[in-house]
Amino acid sequence: MSTEFHLGAGAAAAGPYALDIDPKRAGWDHSSLRVLDLPPGAHHAFATGDSEWIVLPLSGGCTVLTDDGESFELTGRESVFSGVTDFAYVPRDAHVQIATAAGGRFALTGARCENRLPARYGAASDVPVELRGTGNCSRQVNNFGAADTFECDRLIAVEVLTPGGNWSSYPPHKHDECRPGEESELEEIYYFEIESARGTDGVGYQRVTPSGRGRGTDVLAEVRSGDAVLIPDGWHGPSIAAPGHTMYYLNVMAGPGAREWLICDHPDHGWIRSTWPGQPVDPRLPLYEAPAGDAR
């Protein structure tokens, strides 16, 4: 199994970014992800180039300013395990500044695109929180940048929270070829944070198996906070959370076709969906819900 697709924390750091994955680094055409740590009172400026971006607080809040004169105050959150966050969309061909009074950690989810859409604020109260699966396949999905939730040109991005001991991204599925109405072609990045418990850092596990297409992606990785896994192709799943430690991952996707998330289940494992109606959703979920309204 190749290790080129599993990037341990710090392995893809560059300049101000704790994680910097662009199409060149990933060896593909569209998807990008940066993670930015800022101390109190700091700011960071960047050019969006040929990509659209969502600025998503992982912890802390910030102000997002564009050279078009737009300004967005993001309340943010204490951590990815504490609540849904608000966010800001910034278009291609722009200059952006992120400033934070109290400090924080911010994800920049990006995708190369053709159309320049307006900069916009995304309210935490508007983020659909979905419970997917049942039993030990139960997980929570925060659909802040899903294809049917928030308008982008190419970018699709969601957050997934998996209680300790559960499996998510299951059954294994793929989206590495364009089959209209059945499957979309999307490059994907998984970025992980694992909740510590009783003073112990947690771990999780990520599996990707070859689908017979593309680069033959084959990954069996022990993942920790700050790790990322690149998925240019292949059946991906399960993502396994160790007992006692909630797993968070941020999914960033984009591709050459229509902006839609259409997946194909692995033929050996898709049957598991038929068992879900007979089981309850994990009672630990939801870990939290979207707030009734945002303080702006």
Side-chain angles (χ1 to χ4, degrees):
M1 281 174 286
S2 172
T3 59
E4 68 176 300
F5 303 107
H6 174 213
L7 305 174
Y17 300 113
L19 176 72
D20 188 3
I21 299 169
D22 61 11
K24 182 178 179 181
R25 170 68 179 82
W28 56 37
D29 296 320
H30 295 91
S31 299
S32 296
L33 175 63
R34 298 169 178 168
V35 175
L36 177 69
D37 288 311
L38 290 177
H43 60 84
H44 171 71
F46 71 100
T48 61
D50 61 1
S51 297
E52 59 186 348
W53 299 85
I54 285 178
V55 179
L56 181 80
L58 300 174
S59 64
C62 65
T63 302
V64 178
L65 304 168
T66 75
D67 55 353
D68 289 334
E70 299 281 2
S71 178
F72 307 107
E73 294 289 340
L74 303 187
T75 301
R77 55 188 165 183
E78 181 179 349
S79 79
V80 297
F81 303 105
S82 65
V84 177
T85 186
D86 51 0
F87 59 93
Y89 172 92
V90 292
R92 61 169 292 162
D93 303 318
H95 286 83
V96 177
Q97 179 172 278
I98 300 171
T100 177
R105 185 173 179 88
F106 308 97
L108 282 60
T109 67
R112 280 181 175 159
C113 64
E114 292 74 39
N115 297 307
R116 191 175 194 269
L117 304 182
R120 280 162 290 138
Y121 174 80
S125 56
D126 290 337
V127 175
V129 174
E130 174 190 1
L131 300 186
R132 191 175 295 171
T134 62
N136 64 354
C137 289
S138 302
R139 61 270 200 182
Q140 173 176 332
V141 185
N142 300 337
N143 288 302
F144 72 95
D148 58 354
T149 297
F150 187 85
E151 184 184 8
C152 298
D153 190 40
R154 294 284 182 186
L155 177 64
I156 299 172
V158 302
E159 301 179 303
V160 180
L161 293 119
T162 308
N166 285 7
W167 287 29
S168 61
S169 283
Y170 200 78
H173 58 279
K174 75 180 185 76
H175 41 67
D176 58 13
E177 59 184 314
C178 180
R179 295 185 296 127
E182 296 184 42
E183 183 178 351
S184 46
E185 183 180 349
L186 297 167
E187 310 153 350
E188 185 163 17
I189 303 167
Y190 276 53
Y191 165 75
F192 294 90
E193 294 196 5
I194 313 295
E195 190 173 33
S196 60
R198 300 190 180 186
T200 302
D201 292 337
V203 300
Y205 295 88
Q206 176 67 44
R207 186 73 170 110
V208 186
T209 54
S211 65
R213 295 182 55 81
R215 293 153 64 177
T217 307
D218 195 352
V219 177
L220 175 57
E222 182 174 283
V223 293
R224 300 173 182 272
S225 288
D227 287 13
V229 172
L230 306 179
I231 306 175
D233 48 67
W235 305 103
H236 39 292
S239 303
I240 305 171
H245 299 274
T246 302
M247 169 190 280
Y248 164 94
Y249 53 84
L250 172 61
N251 289 145
V252 181
M253 294 167 275
R259 183 179 177 251
E260 53 186 352
W261 186 68
L262 299 176
I263 64 170
C264 174
D265 284 343
H266 194 295
D268 293 342
H269 305 288
W271 62 267
I272 196 68
R273 291 187 189 274
S274 68
T275 70
W276 291 350
Q279 301 180 67
V281 173
D282 190 315
R284 294 174 289 181
L285 294 175
L287 297 178
Y288 48 75
E289 298 180 340
D294 285 349
R296 293 293 304 274

